Amino acid sequence: MNTIAIVGRPNVGKSTLFNRLVGRRQAIMDNQSGVTRDRHYGYGDWTGHNFTVIDTGGYVHNSDDIFESEINRQVKLAIDEADVILFMVDADAGLHGLDEEFAQVLRRYIGKKPIYLVANKADTNLRAQGSGEFYALGLGDTEVFAISSANGSGTGELLDAIVSHFEEVGEEEPNSDLPRIAIIGRPNVGKSSFVNLLLGEDRSIVTDIAGTTRDSIEAKYSAFGHEFMLVDTAGLRRKARVNEDIEFYSNMRSLRAMEAADVCVVLLDASRGIEAQDVAIIALADKNRKGIVILVNKWDLIEGKETNTARDFEAKIKEKIAPIAYPPVVFISVLNKQRVHKALEVIMEVYGNKRRKIPTSQLNDVMLKEIEKYPPPIQKGKMVRIKYATQLPTHNPVFAFFCNLPQYIPDSYARYLENRLREHFDFTGVPIGLAFRKK
């Protein structure tokens, strides 16, 4: 696979270049250093070559950043994965001690992988001319490219050099046809730990600090007969509690991940129960017509569990999220690896339910009998007659019922029809849409 890793010290513009190469504002950018922490993947193309770009956190050494060791480990993983390494430096600030320290890390890759020094922020001729000082980093024949990732100058020449190392055209937006499973929830409920456990690697940095994950992190899952894109998201906070630009953009990225997902897996913290923000997140997923699975994590922390403990806990969840009644609830412990495979099976079942298509003949055989048992109530002295039903060709299950007076179908009867559909056909975890049309 054609893979590019963008690496370097903090605040040199790595995420800005990443966004330019993938052609959209996918990574969060801010003047504050240390915004990017995990590896972040995107896809781009240039002169007929498709490639993967990896954005990384800023490499530091002996700093006060509590995430330092984890960020540095993620950087090294990206370097090992890459076919071409872009070592980004700051043409405005000039040669920095951290650049020299990071150059020592990259020296072991000289001759093994192409390395390019990218002098960013070279917005003027003077800065571009001064970028030659970075040859002092001693990376052999490494070429220095003076660019401005903010306005794009110099990036064309850089890309020409990069793609010269790619023997294959590469895949265009690989995995775009796979199911997308977004892991969402409040901060610090175990989303990243759950993702890392499924993937069998530390794909996302995990700490006890709320807000460790800032961007939406994608990874491909392929095991036990399942294959899908898994998206770890930043914890969703209430608007009133979002008081920094970075938190705002983290929230926005999480919401986008939800909108792009097929199934939203909502993690709850068993020790805290279901809170107002959990209810709001589930309602938002329902509003976006997503498949929903509720995972109650940290179930191992609940002491004195009895036969009915889980049942009573689930009843409280259903009561709080009413009238949304369709999401399945699974009790898990990521720490103890309990019922994680069960959760995986339920997630994929919900995805299958979301794609379920009921043949028109089977649908009418079942539903017309239910309608005959309990016909629509008479409205304003007029009798409503439903003649037949069909499933519409939509991404989510939507059923059209054709009748003489669609405007007289009350909400209560629509709920009756939905309940009968769920009774006869498995749509667990999936919202159902009903449309009434004149015939």
Side-chain angles (χ1 to χ4, degrees):
M1 183 62 191
N2 303 333
T3 306
I4 305 163
I6 306 173
V7 296
R9 66 179 178 85
N11 216 27
V12 293
K14 296 184 297 296
S15 294
T16 309
L17 178 60
F18 172 87
N19 286 342
R20 181 161 293 279
L21 295 187
V22 303
R24 58 181 181 269
R25 291 174 65 89
Q26 190 170 324
I28 296 175
M29 302 182 299
D30 194 87
N31 290 329
Q32 177 183 331
S33 65
V35 171
T36 304
R37 291 171 177 165
D38 302 282
R39 282 171 289 155
H40 191 51
Y41 290 70
Y43 306 102
D45 65 271
W46 185 256
T47 61
H49 289 84
N50 299 298
F51 49 79
T52 300
V53 191
I54 312 175
D55 186 21
T56 64
Y59 190 96
V60 292
H61 186 60
N62 291 331
S63 73
D64 295 330
D65 190 344
I66 59 174
F67 298 103
E68 176 188 306
S69 62
E70 278 298 320
I71 291 173
N72 292 351
R73 192 178 66 80
Q74 294 281 333
V75 171
K76 289 178 180 177
L77 287 170
I79 291 171
D80 290 336
E81 188 177 346
D83 299 304
V84 177
I85 301 167
L86 303 185
F87 177 11
M88 183 168 275
V89 291
D90 188 331
D92 182 28
L95 193 58
H96 193 284
L98 284 174
D99 297 328
E100 294 172 342
E101 288 189 18
F102 189 57
Q104 294 179 19
V105 174
L106 288 183
R107 283 196 184 100
R108 72 189 69 170
Y109 296 93
I110 295 175
K112 298 177 182 177
K113 296 186 177 187
I115 303 173
Y116 289 107
L117 266 165
V118 181
N120 189 33
K121 307 180 186 178
D123 302 279
T124 65
N125 288 333
L126 186 63
R127 289 183 190 174
Q129 291 166 7
S131 63
E133 69 174 311
F134 294 105
Y135 283 109
L137 289 170
L139 291 174
D141 297 330
T142 298
E143 189 174 353
V144 176
F145 283 85
I147 73 160
S148 170
S149 52
N151 64 34
S153 66
T155 53
E157 292 83 352
L158 174 62
L159 281 164
D160 286 340
I162 292 170
V163 300
S164 69
H165 299 284
F166 297 154
E167 296 179 0
E168 300 178 354
V169 171
E171 290 183 74
E172 182 178 352
E173 197 79 32
N175 308 318
S176 60
D177 57 339
L178 291 181
R180 295 182 66 82
I181 312 298
I183 313 301
I184 61 176
R186 288 184 292 104
N188 220 26
V189 293
K191 298 183 296 297
S192 295
S193 298
F194 178 67
V195 168
N196 288 345
L197 179 58
L198 286 184
L199 296 175
E201 62 168 303
D202 292 340
R203 180 63 184 82
S204 300
I205 295 173
V206 176
T207 72
D208 292 330
I209 300 170
T212 298
T213 301
R214 285 175 163 172
D215 225 325
S216 296
I217 310 300
E218 295 187 8
K220 182 180 177 180
Y221 177 91
S222 183
F224 302 105
H226 302 302
E227 195 171 43
F228 54 82
M229 293 304 294
L230 196 57
V231 187
D232 183 18
T233 66
L236 283 164
R237 300 174 184 266
R238 293 198 302 271
K239 285 183 180 180
R241 294 196 175 179
V242 176
N243 49 28
E244 295 181 8
D245 285 346
I246 293 170
E247 283 191 326
F248 170 77
Y249 287 114
S250 291
N251 255 21
M252 291 300 295
R253 295 296 195 276
S254 296
L255 292 173
R256 281 189 197 170
M258 177 192 292
E259 290 168 0
D262 295 299
V263 177
C264 291
V265 178
V266 184
L267 252 69
L268 310 183
D269 184 333
S271 63
R272 296 178 62 173
I274 182 165
E275 300 181 330
Q277 181 64 358
D278 299 317
V279 175
I281 290 168
I282 293 167
L284 191 58
D286 173 71
K287 182 180 178 182
N288 281 277
R289 314 302 289 168
K290 303 301 177 183
I292 302 174
V293 176
I294 298 172
L295 300 187
V296 182
N297 189 27
K298 307 182 185 180
W299 192 239
D300 54 297
L301 299 180
I302 304 301
E303 298 179 356
K305 289 192 284 285
E306 298 177 356
T307 305
N308 297 329
T309 304
R311 187 192 67 184
D312 293 343
F313 199 108
E314 181 174 349
K316 287 181 182 177
I317 292 174
K318 297 289 188 180
E319 180 184 343
K320 287 281 186 71
I321 67 174
I324 304 168
Y326 57 85
V329 179
V330 183
F331 296 86
I332 68 169
S333 168
V334 172
L335 182 65
N336 294 337
K337 302 180 182 179
Q338 292 176 342
R339 294 174 65 79
V340 173
H341 284 295
K342 170 65 175 176
L344 183 61
E345 292 296 330
V346 172
I347 291 166
M348 295 315 294
E349 284 171 10
V350 168
Y351 174 72
N353 294 343
K354 192 171 186 290
R355 294 170 57 86
R356 176 163 282 114
K357 304 297 181 186
I358 310 299
T360 300
S361 58
Q362 183 183 1
L363 180 66
N364 283 282
D365 284 346
V366 170
M367 293 305 295
L368 291 181
K369 288 177 183 176
E370 295 291 352
I371 292 166
E372 187 178 350
K373 282 185 201 173
Y374 178 48
I378 295 172
Q379 299 282 340
K380 297 182 179 180
K382 296 183 179 181
M383 186 175 292
V384 181
R385 292 187 176 86
I386 297 177
K387 299 175 182 179
Y388 71 97
T390 188
Q391 185 173 356
L392 300 178
T394 53
H395 292 299
N396 297 296
V398 178
F399 297 90
F401 289 85
F402 292 85
C403 56
N404 59 334
L405 297 167
Q407 69 273 26
Y408 288 149
I409 299 286
D411 291 342
S412 58
Y413 193 76
R415 286 194 295 273
Y416 165 78
L417 292 177
E418 180 180 340
N419 290 336
R420 298 292 76 75
L421 281 166
R422 291 189 182 280
E423 180 184 310
H424 292 284
F425 309 105
D426 188 1
F427 286 108
T428 302
V430 181
I432 292 177
L434 300 182
F436 297 95
R437 296 181 176 176
K438 189 171 179 60
K439 179 66 176 179

